[in-house]
Amino acid sequence: MAVLLLLCYLGGLAAITFMNRMDGMQMGAQLHPFLAFWEAWNNFTLQIWLNPLLNIAMFLPLGVLLPLAVKPFRRWYWMLTAGAGTSLVIEVLQYSLGRGQADVDDLICNILGAMLGYCLCMLFVSLAGKRWKIAGIYAVLPVLSAAVLAGVFLAYHFQPYGNLADAPIYAANTKGIEWVQECSLSDEPGPSGVYWTEPFTIESSDAFAVEFIGRQGAEIRFGTPDVDYYDNTAVYSDHQTYALWVTYKDRSYEYTDYRVDSELRFSEKGGTITEDELRTALEDLGIEMPDAAEFITVDEEKGKYAFRAECVIEDGVLTDGELTCWVAEGGILYEVDNTLSVSTLHGNAAVISPQEAYERLCSGRFSWRDVPMFNYLSPNQVRVIDCKLGYMTDSKGFRQPVYSFTLSDENDVELRGGTGWTTFVPALAG
């Protein structure tokens, strides 16, 4: 029976390896150990944590079935070899056949899963044979793994603020790069405020959506495909009248009015609208613009307008971000993307100085999303044009301070139209 189950399991692994190709999946190789765990820590959502955890779970059956089916694999070193070899073959095949990304973290998680399954299997075999001391040895890895996982979640729960999704994970290779500072940077720490707006829950997001869509004369049909829930997002759409995407943590949302003719919405030529007319149109949607937000014509030809505030702090209230609107011919508002945040001061926390942030930048400790391209391009000289204190929403909904740097290098003209690029360094000390 164990042999049959093992063969079925191996067949399932082969099917996943050879048949499960997803369009848009990143190919190539990921060689940074524990990147998946750090990414899960930074984002701290169930969906991202499932990536490493499911890779561990996927090899648990191998660790259970192989020792039961083939007795030599009851020795730990043979099981370790089998787990590592099976996972390595899968990763090599994925890389060579273009069926996915070869990932060192998959290898680590698979080996851990196989050894956890092995320990659980041998634990029960030892208990059945009343070999208590040996059973205790096999219990060490499962207990230790559970304790580490619980410790991670407890540490996150008790820390005062959340994590930034794109915070540095591994350093860029800055060896041999000439850094040119073209802006003045203070040695004094920046403003120390951390700001807060109550994030949406599923219930409060539903209530917001009902009120918002109700103002448009439409109704949300809960319990139907009109509503989809994700880790940090809820989507409400009947595909005929409206579409509303709500993000829980930062309370941002996108709204599209499908009642506006698609030829108008997808036309390259937009409509014109004044600030007062746009404010009135937004009020009809139930959106009230804060006084700190400035009206901006982004692209009049395409009918793109915005209300923007860049870190405006007044009386303990932070207004930051942008509400972007698209207007069709005839001055018809048909789409709103609202990332304009209004939050109140939650408390003070130690913040590093711009100069210290610059030093971290030069050592390669900036947003990890920018590191792969930076390493690939290997610029000879990087000019630091500007540094501003800004705010980003963390995984608990707090608005944390960050230093945003505008940079320029010899690849600007070829890749970026000569405009330079930006990255950030977290500003909280510690």
Side-chain angles (χ1 to χ4, degrees):
M1 183 63 178
V3 174
L4 179 61
L5 289 175
L6 177 63
L7 292 175
C8 290
Y9 166 76
L10 293 175
L13 277 183
I16 292 173
T17 302
F18 292 105
M19 299 174 60
N20 187 28
R21 177 168 183 169
M22 297 177 64
D23 293 336
M25 179 184 289
Q26 185 177 3
M27 303 299 171
Q30 195 291 108
L31 302 178
H32 293 279
F34 306 109
L35 178 63
F37 292 94
W38 279 113
E39 186 178 2
W41 170 259
N42 280 0
N43 289 271
F44 225 90
T45 64
L46 177 60
Q47 183 178 3
I48 297 181
W49 268 113
L50 283 177
N51 179 36
L53 294 179
L54 288 178
N55 272 309
I56 293 172
M58 186 171 69
F59 265 56
L60 279 170
L62 180 67
V64 173
L65 296 173
L66 194 54
L68 293 178
V70 186
K71 285 189 176 181
F73 287 97
R74 295 189 180 186
R75 299 180 183 276
W76 70 267
Y77 46 85
W78 284 116
M79 187 65 241
L80 179 62
T81 302
T86 303
S87 180
L88 184 60
V89 167
I90 290 175
E91 297 304 312
V92 170
L93 287 174
Q94 284 182 330
Y95 180 82
S96 58
L97 299 177
R99 295 285 168 175
Q101 185 181 51
D103 195 328
V104 68
D105 282 343
D106 289 351
L107 183 64
I108 293 171
C109 291
N110 292 162
I111 293 173
L112 177 58
M115 294 311 294
L116 282 172
Y118 166 79
C119 287
L120 291 172
C121 173
M122 297 308 297
L123 172 62
F124 285 106
V125 169
S126 299
L127 290 175
K130 298 182 179 181
R131 292 176 293 171
W132 313 116
K133 290 184 178 180
I134 296 178
I137 295 174
Y138 288 126
V140 171
L141 182 61
V143 170
L144 182 61
S145 299
V148 169
L149 184 62
V152 168
F153 278 76
L154 286 172
Y156 176 80
H157 176 75
F158 286 110
Q159 69 181 21
Y161 306 116
N163 306 321
L164 297 174
D166 296 340
I169 293 178
Y170 60 96
N173 180 14
T174 59
K175 185 177 180 180
I177 293 176
E178 179 187 4
W179 293 86
V180 179
Q181 183 180 323
E182 296 185 352
C183 59
S184 60
L185 299 174
S186 172
D187 287 326
E188 297 297 322
S192 58
V194 175
Y195 293 81
W196 166 257
T197 300
E198 183 73 32
F200 279 128
T201 61
I202 292 179
E203 294 76 15
S204 60
S205 176
D206 286 348
F208 167 78
V210 166
E211 181 179 357
F212 190 98
I213 297 302
R215 286 177 177 270
Q216 323 319 318
E219 183 179 353
I220 298 175
R221 297 176 297 179
F222 290 96
T224 73
D226 287 4
V227 183
D228 289 308
Y229 299 106
Y230 301 94
D231 242 8
N232 188 38
T233 309
V235 182
Y236 311 86
S237 177
D238 65 0
H239 308 286
Q240 295 177 341
T241 309
Y242 66 88
L244 179 65
W245 294 65
V246 179
T247 303
Y248 300 146
K249 288 175 184 174
D250 62 3
R251 299 179 69 94
S252 64
Y253 56 88
E254 299 177 38
Y255 168 71
T256 302
D257 188 345
Y258 289 144
R259 294 169 298 184
V260 178
D261 190 275
S262 60
E263 291 187 3
L264 290 175
R265 287 189 283 114
F266 295 114
S267 172
E268 287 295 319
K269 183 174 176 58
T272 59
I273 196 169
T274 66
E275 178 178 354
D276 289 339
E277 289 171 340
L278 184 54
R279 285 184 181 272
T280 300
L282 290 171
E283 287 175 3
D284 291 341
L285 293 177
I287 303 173
E288 184 177 350
M289 282 295 97
D291 295 335
E294 178 186 2
F295 176 74
I296 295 172
T297 300
V298 180
D299 189 332
E300 185 173 352
E301 184 177 345
K302 294 184 178 180
K304 186 176 180 180
Y305 303 85
F307 286 93
R308 184 181 300 165
E310 295 186 6
C311 301
V312 179
I313 300 175
E314 295 178 348
D315 300 324
V317 176
L318 169 68
T319 307
D320 187 33
E322 182 172 297
L323 182 146
T324 307
C325 303
W326 284 263
V327 177
E329 287 185 292
I332 304 172
L333 176 62
Y334 67 88
E335 187 170 337
V336 175
D337 182 1
N338 188 3
T339 61
L340 186 61
S341 171
V342 178
S343 48
T344 56
L345 181 64
H346 178 269
N348 293 319
V351 175
I352 63 176
S353 68
Q355 182 62 39
E356 185 175 350
Y358 170 74
E359 292 169 1
R360 295 185 182 185
L361 174 75
C362 295
S363 66
R365 290 181 291 165
F366 48 81
S367 170
W368 77 273
R369 298 284 185 186
D370 298 320
V371 170
M373 183 57 69
F374 185 91
N375 288 343
Y376 174 76
L377 293 174
S378 300
N380 296 313
Q381 182 190 83
V382 177
R383 293 161 41 231
V384 182
I385 299 171
D386 192 23
C387 173
K388 292 181 179 178
L389 185 71
Y391 292 85
M392 287 187 176
T393 303
D394 68 20
S395 55
K396 291 186 177 181
F398 292 99
R399 299 280 292 178
Q400 286 192 27
V402 299
Y403 286 107
S404 178
F405 288 92
T406 301
L407 310 174
S408 178
D409 59 50
E410 61 266 31
N411 302 295
D412 284 351
V413 174
E414 181 181 357
L415 300 179
R416 312 179 191 103
T419 59
W421 56 288
T422 62
T423 192
F424 77 91
V425 172
L428 289 184

